[in-house]
PDB file of all heavy atoms in Angstrom:
ATOM      1  N   ALA A  29      20.408  -6.838  -9.696  1.00  0.00           N
ATOM      2  CA  ALA A  29      20.975  -6.623  -8.370  1.00  0.00           C
ATOM      3  C   ALA A  29      21.268  -5.146  -8.125  1.00  0.00           C
ATOM      4  O   ALA A  29      21.841  -4.467  -8.972  1.00  0.00           O
ATOM      5  CB  ALA A  29      22.251  -7.438  -8.199  1.00  0.00           C
ATOM      6  N   VAL A  30      20.849  -4.657  -6.959  1.00  0.00           N
ATOM      7  CA  VAL A  30      21.093  -3.274  -6.561  1.00  0.00           C
ATOM      8  C   VAL A  30      21.686  -3.284  -5.162  1.00  0.00           C
ATOM      9  O   VAL A  30      21.089  -3.824  -4.223  1.00  0.00           O
ATOM     10  CB  VAL A  30      19.778  -2.455  -6.555  1.00  0.00           C
ATOM     11  CG1 VAL A  30      20.044  -1.030  -6.078  1.00  0.00           C
ATOM     12  CG2 VAL A  30      19.153  -2.447  -7.940  1.00  0.00           C
ATOM     13  N   ARG A  31      22.855  -2.711  -5.012  1.00  0.00           N
ATOM     14  CA  ARG A  31      23.505  -2.656  -3.695  1.00  0.00           C
ATOM     15  C   ARG A  31      23.049  -1.409  -2.953  1.00  0.00           C
ATOM     16  O   ARG A  31      23.074  -0.300  -3.492  1.00  0.00           O
ATOM     17  CB  ARG A  31      25.022  -2.640  -3.857  1.00  0.00           C
ATOM     18  CG  ARG A  31      25.772  -2.691  -2.544  1.00  0.00           C
ATOM     19  CD  ARG A  31      27.236  -2.996  -2.795  1.00  0.00           C
ATOM     20  NE  ARG A  31      28.001  -3.074  -1.563  1.00  0.00           N
ATOM     21  CZ  ARG A  31      29.202  -3.636  -1.472  1.00  0.00           C
ATOM     22  NH1 ARG A  31      29.761  -4.139  -2.566  1.00  0.00           N
ATOM     23  NH2 ARG A  31      29.838  -3.675  -0.332  1.00  0.00           N
ATOM     24  N   ILE A  32      22.626  -1.593  -1.711  1.00  0.00           N
ATOM     25  CA  ILE A  32      22.066  -0.492  -0.932  1.00  0.00           C
ATOM     26  C   ILE A  32      22.248  -0.796   0.551  1.00  0.00           C
ATOM     27  O   ILE A  32      22.232  -1.956   0.963  1.00  0.00           O
ATOM     28  CB  ILE A  32      20.562  -0.296  -1.276  1.00  0.00           C
ATOM     29  CG1 ILE A  32      19.981   0.931  -0.582  1.00  0.00           C
ATOM     30  CG2 ILE A  32      19.770  -1.548  -0.972  1.00  0.00           C
ATOM     31  CD1 ILE A  32      18.565   1.268  -1.049  1.00  0.00           C
ATOM     32  N   GLY A  33      22.455   0.224   1.373  1.00  0.00           N
ATOM     33  CA  GLY A  33      22.596   0.024   2.811  1.00  0.00           C
ATOM     34  C   GLY A  33      21.291  -0.428   3.435  1.00  0.00           C
ATOM     35  O   GLY A  33      20.200  -0.102   2.945  1.00  0.00           O
ATOM     36  N   ALA A  34      21.393  -1.168   4.521  1.00  0.00           N
ATOM     37  CA  ALA A  34      20.198  -1.741   5.152  1.00  0.00           C
ATOM     38  C   ALA A  34      19.222  -0.661   5.619  1.00  0.00           C
ATOM     39  O   ALA A  34      18.004  -0.762   5.387  1.00  0.00           O
ATOM     40  CB  ALA A  34      20.608  -2.628   6.325  1.00  0.00           C
ATOM     41  N   GLU A  35      19.714   0.368   6.293  1.00  0.00           N
ATOM     42  CA  GLU A  35      18.827   1.423   6.791  1.00  0.00           C
ATOM     43  C   GLU A  35      18.175   2.180   5.633  1.00  0.00           C
ATOM     44  O   GLU A  35      16.981   2.492   5.670  1.00  0.00           O
ATOM     45  CB  GLU A  35      19.617   2.396   7.678  1.00  0.00           C
ATOM     46  CG  GLU A  35      20.249   1.767   8.913  1.00  0.00           C
ATOM     47  CD  GLU A  35      19.224   1.455   9.996  1.00  0.00           C
ATOM     48  OE1 GLU A  35      18.060   1.889   9.851  1.00  0.00           O
ATOM     49  OE2 GLU A  35      19.586   0.775  10.974  1.00  0.00           O
ATOM     50  N   GLU A  36      18.964   2.471   4.595  1.00  0.00           N
ATOM     51  CA  GLU A  36      18.418   3.175   3.434  1.00  0.00           C
ATOM     52  C   GLU A  36      17.371   2.308   2.741  1.00  0.00           C
ATOM     53  O   GLU A  36      16.338   2.807   2.280  1.00  0.00           O
ATOM     54  CB  GLU A  36      19.538   3.530   2.458  1.00  0.00           C
ATOM     55  CG  GLU A  36      19.069   4.357   1.274  1.00  0.00           C
ATOM     56  CD  GLU A  36      20.180   4.685   0.293  1.00  0.00           C
ATOM     57  OE1 GLU A  36      21.331   4.222   0.506  1.00  0.00           O
ATOM     58  OE2 GLU A  36      19.896   5.387  -0.694  1.00  0.00           O
ATOM     59  N   HIS A  37      17.637   1.013   2.667  1.00  0.00           N
ATOM     60  CA  HIS A  37      16.668   0.094   2.073  1.00  0.00           C
ATOM     61  C   HIS A  37      15.336   0.148   2.806  1.00  0.00           C
ATOM     62  O   HIS A  37      14.264   0.240   2.194  1.00  0.00           O
ATOM     63  CB  HIS A  37      17.212  -1.342   2.106  1.00  0.00           C
ATOM     64  CG  HIS A  37      16.174  -2.387   1.831  1.00  0.00           C
ATOM     65  ND1 HIS A  37      15.330  -2.879   2.816  1.00  0.00           N
ATOM     66  CD2 HIS A  37      15.813  -3.017   0.692  1.00  0.00           C
ATOM     67  CE1 HIS A  37      14.516  -3.766   2.293  1.00  0.00           C
ATOM     68  NE2 HIS A  37      14.783  -3.877   1.011  1.00  0.00           N
ATOM     69  N   ASP A  38      15.385   0.095   4.134  1.00  0.00           N
ATOM     70  CA  ASP A  38      14.145   0.066   4.906  1.00  0.00           C
ATOM     71  C   ASP A  38      13.355   1.359   4.764  1.00  0.00           C
ATOM     72  O   ASP A  38      12.120   1.342   4.712  1.00  0.00           O
ATOM     73  CB  ASP A  38      14.456  -0.225   6.372  1.00  0.00           C
ATOM     74  CG  ASP A  38      14.906  -1.665   6.596  1.00  0.00           C
ATOM     75  OD1 ASP A  38      14.907  -2.444   5.617  1.00  0.00           O
ATOM     76  OD2 ASP A  38      15.261  -2.011   7.731  1.00  0.00           O
ATOM     77  N   ARG A  39      14.059   2.491   4.688  1.00  0.00           N
ATOM     78  CA  ARG A  39      13.357   3.762   4.466  1.00  0.00           C
ATOM     79  C   ARG A  39      12.742   3.782   3.065  1.00  0.00           C
ATOM     80  O   ARG A  39      11.640   4.287   2.869  1.00  0.00           O
ATOM     81  CB  ARG A  39      14.306   4.944   4.641  1.00  0.00           C
ATOM     82  CG  ARG A  39      14.774   5.168   6.072  1.00  0.00           C
ATOM     83  CD  ARG A  39      15.451   6.529   6.218  1.00  0.00           C
ATOM     84  NE  ARG A  39      16.623   6.642   5.369  1.00  0.00           N
ATOM     85  CZ  ARG A  39      17.852   6.288   5.724  1.00  0.00           C
ATOM     86  NH1 ARG A  39      18.068   5.769   6.931  1.00  0.00           N
ATOM     87  NH2 ARG A  39      18.866   6.433   4.893  1.00  0.00           N
ATOM     88  N   ALA A  40      13.466   3.216   2.099  1.00  0.00           N
ATOM     89  CA  ALA A  40      12.980   3.217   0.720  1.00  0.00           C
ATOM     90  C   ALA A  40      11.731   2.353   0.564  1.00  0.00           C
ATOM     91  O   ALA A  40      10.742   2.781  -0.045  1.00  0.00           O
ATOM     92  CB  ALA A  40      14.083   2.732  -0.222  1.00  0.00           C
ATOM     93  N   VAL A  41      11.762   1.130   1.105  1.00  0.00           N
ATOM     94  CA  VAL A  41      10.597   0.250   0.921  1.00  0.00           C
ATOM     95  C   VAL A  41       9.403   0.729   1.736  1.00  0.00           C
ATOM     96  O   VAL A  41       8.260   0.402   1.414  1.00  0.00           O
ATOM     97  CB  VAL A  41      10.934  -1.218   1.258  1.00  0.00           C
ATOM     98  CG1 VAL A  41      11.934  -1.777   0.271  1.00  0.00           C
ATOM     99  CG2 VAL A  41      11.409  -1.384   2.688  1.00  0.00           C
ATOM    100  N   ALA A  42       9.648   1.521   2.785  1.00  0.00           N
ATOM    101  CA  ALA A  42       8.523   2.122   3.502  1.00  0.00           C
ATOM    102  C   ALA A  42       7.722   3.021   2.569  1.00  0.00           C
ATOM    103  O   ALA A  42       6.493   3.059   2.627  1.00  0.00           O
ATOM    104  CB  ALA A  42       9.028   2.917   4.707  1.00  0.00           C
ATOM    105  N   VAL A  43       8.427   3.735   1.673  1.00  0.00           N
ATOM    106  CA  VAL A  43       7.773   4.664   0.744  1.00  0.00           C
ATOM    107  C   VAL A  43       7.134   3.934  -0.429  1.00  0.00           C
ATOM    108  O   VAL A  43       6.005   4.237  -0.818  1.00  0.00           O
ATOM    109  CB  VAL A  43       8.796   5.701   0.219  1.00  0.00           C
ATOM    110  CG1 VAL A  43       8.175   6.577  -0.861  1.00  0.00           C
ATOM    111  CG2 VAL A  43       9.311   6.551   1.359  1.00  0.00           C
ATOM    112  N   VAL A  44       7.854   2.952  -0.997  1.00  0.00           N
ATOM    113  CA  VAL A  44       7.391   2.363  -2.265  1.00  0.00           C
ATOM    114  C   VAL A  44       6.625   1.057  -2.093  1.00  0.00           C
ATOM    115  O   VAL A  44       6.042   0.560  -3.056  1.00  0.00           O
ATOM    116  CB  VAL A  44       8.581   2.128  -3.226  1.00  0.00           C
ATOM    117  CG1 VAL A  44       9.303   3.426  -3.515  1.00  0.00           C
ATOM    118  CG2 VAL A  44       9.548   1.077  -2.684  1.00  0.00           C
ATOM    119  N   SER A  45       6.605   0.490  -0.884  1.00  0.00           N
ATOM    120  CA  SER A  45       5.946  -0.800  -0.711  1.00  0.00           C
ATOM    121  C   SER A  45       5.086  -0.882   0.547  1.00  0.00           C
ATOM    122  O   SER A  45       3.890  -1.157   0.476  1.00  0.00           O
ATOM    123  CB  SER A  45       6.990  -1.923  -0.681  1.00  0.00           C
ATOM    124  OG  SER A  45       6.401  -3.174  -0.422  1.00  0.00           O
ATOM    125  N   HIS A  46       5.691  -0.632   1.718  1.00  0.00           N
ATOM    126  CA  HIS A  46       4.995  -0.911   2.967  1.00  0.00           C
ATOM    127  C   HIS A  46       3.853   0.069   3.258  1.00  0.00           C
ATOM    128  O   HIS A  46       2.725  -0.346   3.540  1.00  0.00           O
ATOM    129  CB  HIS A  46       6.006  -0.915   4.118  1.00  0.00           C
ATOM    130  CG  HIS A  46       7.056  -1.967   3.954  1.00  0.00           C
ATOM    131  ND1 HIS A  46       8.182  -2.037   4.748  1.00  0.00           N
ATOM    132  CD2 HIS A  46       7.156  -3.012   3.087  1.00  0.00           C
ATOM    133  CE1 HIS A  46       8.919  -3.068   4.371  1.00  0.00           C
ATOM    134  NE2 HIS A  46       8.315  -3.667   3.360  1.00  0.00           N
ATOM    135  N   ALA A  47       4.142   1.363   3.188  1.00  0.00           N
ATOM    136  CA  ALA A  47       3.068   2.341   3.413  1.00  0.00           C
ATOM    137  C   ALA A  47       1.988   2.264   2.333  1.00  0.00           C
ATOM    138  O   ALA A  47       0.794   2.359   2.655  1.00  0.00           O
ATOM    139  CB  ALA A  47       3.641   3.753   3.515  1.00  0.00           C
ATOM    140  N   PRO A  48       2.337   2.080   1.056  1.00  0.00           N
ATOM    141  CA  PRO A  48       1.276   1.896   0.053  1.00  0.00           C
ATOM    142  C   PRO A  48       0.371   0.706   0.356  1.00  0.00           C
ATOM    143  O   PRO A  48      -0.834   0.766   0.091  1.00  0.00           O
ATOM    144  CB  PRO A  48       2.059   1.682  -1.252  1.00  0.00           C
ATOM    145  CG  PRO A  48       3.314   2.457  -1.049  1.00  0.00           C
ATOM    146  CD  PRO A  48       3.653   2.260   0.405  1.00  0.00           C
ATOM    147  N   HIS A  49       0.934  -0.363   0.933  1.00  0.00           N
ATOM    148  CA  HIS A  49       0.101  -1.520   1.261  1.00  0.00           C
ATOM    149  C   HIS A  49      -0.920  -1.160   2.339  1.00  0.00           C
ATOM    150  O   HIS A  49      -2.104  -1.513   2.231  1.00  0.00           O
ATOM    151  CB  HIS A  49       0.964  -2.682   1.735  1.00  0.00           C
ATOM    152  CG  HIS A  49       0.198  -3.959   1.860  1.00  0.00           C
ATOM    153  ND1 HIS A  49       0.185  -4.924   0.882  1.00  0.00           N
ATOM    154  CD2 HIS A  49      -0.618  -4.422   2.843  1.00  0.00           C
ATOM    155  CE1 HIS A  49      -0.610  -5.915   1.245  1.00  0.00           C
ATOM    156  NE2 HIS A  49      -1.097  -5.637   2.448  1.00  0.00           N
ATOM    157  N   VAL A  50      -0.479  -0.454   3.370  1.00  0.00           N
ATOM    158  CA  VAL A  50      -1.400  -0.051   4.439  1.00  0.00           C
ATOM    159  C   VAL A  50      -2.446   0.912   3.881  1.00  0.00           C
ATOM    160  O   VAL A  50      -3.632   0.821   4.212  1.00  0.00           O
ATOM    161  CB  VAL A  50      -0.638   0.589   5.609  1.00  0.00           C
ATOM    162  CG1 VAL A  50      -1.605   1.039   6.695  1.00  0.00           C
ATOM    163  CG2 VAL A  50       0.376  -0.395   6.192  1.00  0.00           C
ATOM    164  N   THR A  51      -2.028   1.830   3.039  1.00  0.00           N
ATOM    165  CA  THR A  51      -2.956   2.792   2.447  1.00  0.00           C
ATOM    166  C   THR A  51      -4.001   2.078   1.585  1.00  0.00           C
ATOM    167  O   THR A  51      -5.201   2.390   1.652  1.00  0.00           O
ATOM    168  CB  THR A  51      -2.188   3.818   1.599  1.00  0.00           C
ATOM    169  OG1 THR A  51      -1.173   4.437   2.398  1.00  0.00           O
ATOM    170  CG2 THR A  51      -3.118   4.880   1.052  1.00  0.00           C
ATOM    171  N   ALA A  52      -3.555   1.108   0.783  1.00  0.00           N
ATOM    172  CA  ALA A  52      -4.495   0.334  -0.027  1.00  0.00           C
ATOM    173  C   ALA A  52      -5.473  -0.425   0.861  1.00  0.00           C
ATOM    174  O   ALA A  52      -6.669  -0.530   0.550  1.00  0.00           O
ATOM    175  CB  ALA A  52      -3.734  -0.638  -0.928  1.00  0.00           C
ATOM    176  N   SER A  53      -4.980  -0.940   1.974  1.00  0.00           N
ATOM    177  CA  SER A  53      -5.854  -1.667   2.898  1.00  0.00           C
ATOM    178  C   SER A  53      -6.892  -0.735   3.511  1.00  0.00           C
ATOM    179  O   SER A  53      -8.053  -1.127   3.724  1.00  0.00           O
ATOM    180  CB  SER A  53      -5.016  -2.326   3.998  1.00  0.00           C
ATOM    181  OG  SER A  53      -4.153  -3.313   3.446  1.00  0.00           O
ATOM    182  N   ALA A  54      -6.483   0.498   3.814  1.00  0.00           N
ATOM    183  CA  ALA A  54      -7.424   1.458   4.389  1.00  0.00           C
ATOM    184  C   ALA A  54      -8.544   1.784   3.401  1.00  0.00           C
ATOM    185  O   ALA A  54      -9.719   1.904   3.781  1.00  0.00           O
ATOM    186  CB  ALA A  54      -6.683   2.732   4.798  1.00  0.00           C
ATOM    187  N   VAL A  55      -8.192   1.909   2.128  1.00  0.00           N
ATOM    188  CA  VAL A  55      -9.216   2.162   1.110  1.00  0.00           C
ATOM    189  C   VAL A  55     -10.108   0.930   0.951  1.00  0.00           C
ATOM    190  O   VAL A  55     -11.342   1.035   0.907  1.00  0.00           O
ATOM    191  CB  VAL A  55      -8.558   2.524  -0.238  1.00  0.00           C
ATOM    192  CG1 VAL A  55      -9.617   2.663  -1.327  1.00  0.00           C
ATOM    193  CG2 VAL A  55      -7.761   3.827  -0.113  1.00  0.00           C
ATOM    194  N   ALA A  56      -9.484  -0.250   0.880  1.00  0.00           N
ATOM    195  CA  ALA A  56     -10.255  -1.481   0.707  1.00  0.00           C
ATOM    196  C   ALA A  56     -11.174  -1.753   1.890  1.00  0.00           C
ATOM    197  O   ALA A  56     -12.262  -2.328   1.737  1.00  0.00           O
ATOM    198  CB  ALA A  56      -9.308  -2.667   0.502  1.00  0.00           C
ATOM    199  N   ALA A  57     -10.751  -1.332   3.087  1.00  0.00           N
ATOM    200  CA  ALA A  57     -11.579  -1.541   4.275  1.00  0.00           C
ATOM    201  C   ALA A  57     -12.912  -0.812   4.165  1.00  0.00           C
ATOM    202  O   ALA A  57     -13.922  -1.249   4.732  1.00  0.00           O
ATOM    203  CB  ALA A  57     -10.833  -1.086   5.531  1.00  0.00           C
ATOM    204  N   ARG A  58     -12.925   0.309   3.447  1.00  0.00           N
ATOM    205  CA  ARG A  58     -14.184   1.030   3.230  1.00  0.00           C
ATOM    206  C   ARG A  58     -15.165   0.180   2.417  1.00  0.00           C
ATOM    207  O   ARG A  58     -16.375   0.315   2.547  1.00  0.00           O
ATOM    208  CB  ARG A  58     -13.923   2.355   2.503  1.00  0.00           C
ATOM    209  CG  ARG A  58     -12.879   3.253   3.157  1.00  0.00           C
ATOM    210  CD  ARG A  58     -13.410   4.031   4.341  1.00  0.00           C
ATOM    211  NE  ARG A  58     -13.681   3.235   5.511  1.00  0.00           N
ATOM    212  CZ  ARG A  58     -12.724   2.758   6.342  1.00  0.00           C
ATOM    213  NH1 ARG A  58     -11.445   2.973   6.110  1.00  0.00           N
ATOM    214  NH2 ARG A  58     -13.052   2.066   7.416  1.00  0.00           N
ATOM    215  N   LEU A  59     -14.628  -0.685   1.556  1.00  0.00           N
ATOM    216  CA  LEU A  59     -15.488  -1.511   0.714  1.00  0.00           C
ATOM    217  C   LEU A  59     -16.217  -2.575   1.529  1.00  0.00           C
ATOM    218  O   LEU A  59     -17.280  -3.050   1.118  1.00  0.00           O
ATOM    219  CB  LEU A  59     -14.661  -2.179  -0.387  1.00  0.00           C
ATOM    220  CG  LEU A  59     -13.911  -1.231  -1.331  1.00  0.00           C
ATOM    221  CD1 LEU A  59     -13.119  -2.040  -2.354  1.00  0.00           C
ATOM    222  CD2 LEU A  59     -14.868  -0.274  -2.019  1.00  0.00           C
ATOM    223  N   ALA A  60     -15.638  -2.961   2.670  1.00  0.00           N
ATOM    224  CA  ALA A  60     -16.289  -3.970   3.509  1.00  0.00           C
ATOM    225  C   ALA A  60     -17.624  -3.468   4.044  1.00  0.00           C
ATOM    226  O   ALA A  60     -18.506  -4.263   4.385  1.00  0.00           O
ATOM    227  CB  ALA A  60     -15.367  -4.355   4.667  1.00  0.00           C
ATOM    228  N   GLU A  61     -17.778  -2.144   4.120  1.00  0.00           N
ATOM    229  CA  GLU A  61     -19.011  -1.549   4.636  1.00  0.00           C
ATOM    230  C   GLU A  61     -19.853  -0.911   3.530  1.00  0.00           C
ATOM    231  O   GLU A  61     -20.894  -0.324   3.799  1.00  0.00           O
ATOM    232  CB  GLU A  61     -18.667  -0.486   5.675  1.00  0.00           C
ATOM    233  CG  GLU A  61     -17.780  -1.013   6.812  1.00  0.00           C
ATOM    234  CD  GLU A  61     -17.175   0.117   7.641  1.00  0.00           C
ATOM    235  OE1 GLU A  61     -17.434   1.290   7.310  1.00  0.00           O
ATOM    236  OE2 GLU A  61     -16.445  -0.189   8.596  1.00  0.00           O
ATOM    237  N   ALA A  62     -19.383  -1.035   2.267  1.00  0.00           N
ATOM    238  CA  ALA A  62     -20.076  -0.365   1.166  1.00  0.00           C
ATOM    239  C   ALA A  62     -21.364  -1.104   0.805  1.00  0.00           C
ATOM    240  O   ALA A  62     -21.486  -2.315   1.008  1.00  0.00           O
ATOM    241  CB  ALA A  62     -19.159  -0.290  -0.053  1.00  0.00           C
ATOM    242  N   SER A  63     -22.291  -0.379   0.244  1.00  0.00           N
ATOM    243  CA  SER A  63     -23.563  -0.970  -0.172  1.00  0.00           C
ATOM    244  C   SER A  63     -23.374  -1.795  -1.438  1.00  0.00           C
ATOM    245  O   SER A  63     -22.399  -1.623  -2.176  1.00  0.00           O
ATOM    246  CB  SER A  63     -24.583   0.132  -0.432  1.00  0.00           C
ATOM    247  OG  SER A  63     -24.199   0.895  -1.566  1.00  0.00           O
ATOM    248  N   ALA A  64     -24.341  -2.658  -1.694  1.00  0.00           N
ATOM    249  CA  ALA A  64     -24.311  -3.459  -2.915  1.00  0.00           C
ATOM    250  C   ALA A  64     -24.357  -2.556  -4.145  1.00  0.00           C
ATOM    251  O   ALA A  64     -23.736  -2.843  -5.169  1.00  0.00           O
ATOM    252  CB  ALA A  64     -25.469  -4.443  -2.929  1.00  0.00           C
ATOM    253  N   ALA A  65     -25.084  -1.442  -4.036  1.00  0.00           N
ATOM    254  CA  ALA A  65     -25.162  -0.506  -5.159  1.00  0.00           C
ATOM    255  C   ALA A  65     -23.793   0.094  -5.464  1.00  0.00           C
ATOM    256  O   ALA A  65     -23.398   0.226  -6.632  1.00  0.00           O
ATOM    257  CB  ALA A  65     -26.163   0.601  -4.842  1.00  0.00           C
ATOM    258  N   ALA A  66     -23.061   0.453  -4.413  1.00  0.00           N
ATOM    259  CA  ALA A  66     -21.725   1.021  -4.614  1.00  0.00           C
ATOM    260  C   ALA A  66     -20.794   0.007  -5.262  1.00  0.00           C
ATOM    261  O   ALA A  66     -20.054   0.318  -6.197  1.00  0.00           O
ATOM    262  CB  ALA A  66     -21.161   1.495  -3.283  1.00  0.00           C
ATOM    263  N   LEU A  67     -20.822  -1.234  -4.758  1.00  0.00           N
ATOM    264  CA  LEU A  67     -19.937  -2.262  -5.296  1.00  0.00           C
ATOM    265  C   LEU A  67     -20.274  -2.582  -6.739  1.00  0.00           C
ATOM    266  O   LEU A  67     -19.390  -2.938  -7.534  1.00  0.00           O
ATOM    267  CB  LEU A  67     -20.027  -3.521  -4.435  1.00  0.00           C
ATOM    268  CG  LEU A  67     -19.511  -3.365  -2.999  1.00  0.00           C
ATOM    269  CD1 LEU A  67     -19.752  -4.641  -2.202  1.00  0.00           C
ATOM    270  CD2 LEU A  67     -18.032  -3.004  -2.989  1.00  0.00           C
ATOM    271  N   GLY A  68     -21.555  -2.447  -7.090  1.00  0.00           N
ATOM    272  CA  GLY A  68     -21.954  -2.690  -8.468  1.00  0.00           C
ATOM    273  C   GLY A  68     -21.399  -1.665  -9.434  1.00  0.00           C
ATOM    274  O   GLY A  68     -21.370  -1.898 -10.644  1.00  0.00           O
ATOM    275  N   LEU A  69     -20.951  -0.528  -8.905  1.00  0.00           N
ATOM    276  CA  LEU A  69     -20.370   0.523  -9.742  1.00  0.00           C
ATOM    277  C   LEU A  69     -18.849   0.479  -9.765  1.00  0.00           C
ATOM    278  O   LEU A  69     -18.209   1.329 -10.381  1.00  0.00           O
ATOM    279  CB  LEU A  69     -20.827   1.896  -9.227  1.00  0.00           C
ATOM    280  CG  LEU A  69     -22.331   2.170  -9.290  1.00  0.00           C
ATOM    281  CD1 LEU A  69     -22.645   3.501  -8.632  1.00  0.00           C
ATOM    282  CD2 LEU A  69     -22.824   2.150 -10.736  1.00  0.00           C
ATOM    283  N   ALA A  70     -18.262  -0.512  -9.080  1.00  0.00           N
ATOM    284  CA  ALA A  70     -16.800  -0.590  -8.985  1.00  0.00           C
ATOM    285  C   ALA A  70     -16.187  -0.785 -10.360  1.00  0.00           C
ATOM    286  O   ALA A  70     -16.628  -1.630 -11.145  1.00  0.00           O
ATOM    287  CB  ALA A  70     -16.409  -1.739  -8.064  1.00  0.00           C
ATOM    288  N   GLY A  71     -15.169  -0.002 -10.641  1.00  0.00           N
ATOM    289  CA  GLY A  71     -14.480  -0.083 -11.924  1.00  0.00           C
ATOM    290  C   GLY A  71     -12.998  -0.353 -11.742  1.00  0.00           C
ATOM    291  O   GLY A  71     -12.538  -0.707 -10.652  1.00  0.00           O
ATOM    292  N   PRO A  72     -12.209  -0.170 -12.793  1.00  0.00           N
ATOM    293  CA  PRO A  72     -10.782  -0.476 -12.726  1.00  0.00           C
ATOM    294  C   PRO A  72     -10.016   0.399 -11.748  1.00  0.00           C
ATOM    295  O   PRO A  72      -9.002  -0.029 -11.201  1.00  0.00           O
ATOM    296  CB  PRO A  72     -10.303  -0.261 -14.167  1.00  0.00           C
ATOM    297  CG  PRO A  72     -11.325   0.632 -14.794  1.00  0.00           C
ATOM    298  CD  PRO A  72     -12.615   0.268 -14.139  1.00  0.00           C
ATOM    299  N   GLY A  73     -10.493   1.616 -11.506  1.00  0.00           N
ATOM    300  CA  GLY A  73      -9.777   2.501 -10.591  1.00  0.00           C
ATOM    301  C   GLY A  73      -9.671   1.928  -9.195  1.00  0.00           C
ATOM    302  O   GLY A  73      -8.587   1.850  -8.608  1.00  0.00           O
TER     303      GLY A  73
END
């Protein structure tokens, strides 16, 4: 349990959760248009 103010919480999760999710989606969206050759080279990164 961590006690934190509501406004501070929302600013914090924007940095560590919400914006990273949108950023990951933006990167993943590029894969929807990627060639089969590119996807065949996909690794852990």
Side-chain angles (χ1 to χ4, degrees):
V30 177
R31 184 167 181 163
I32 185 172
E35 299 286 351
E36 184 181 3
H37 166 276
D38 289 356
R39 291 193 299 271
V41 294
V43 174
V44 301
S45 176
H46 299 170
H49 190 97
V50 178
T51 305
S53 296
V55 175
R58 307 281 71 76
L59 301 179
E61 305 166 359
S63 67
L67 295 175
L69 297 175

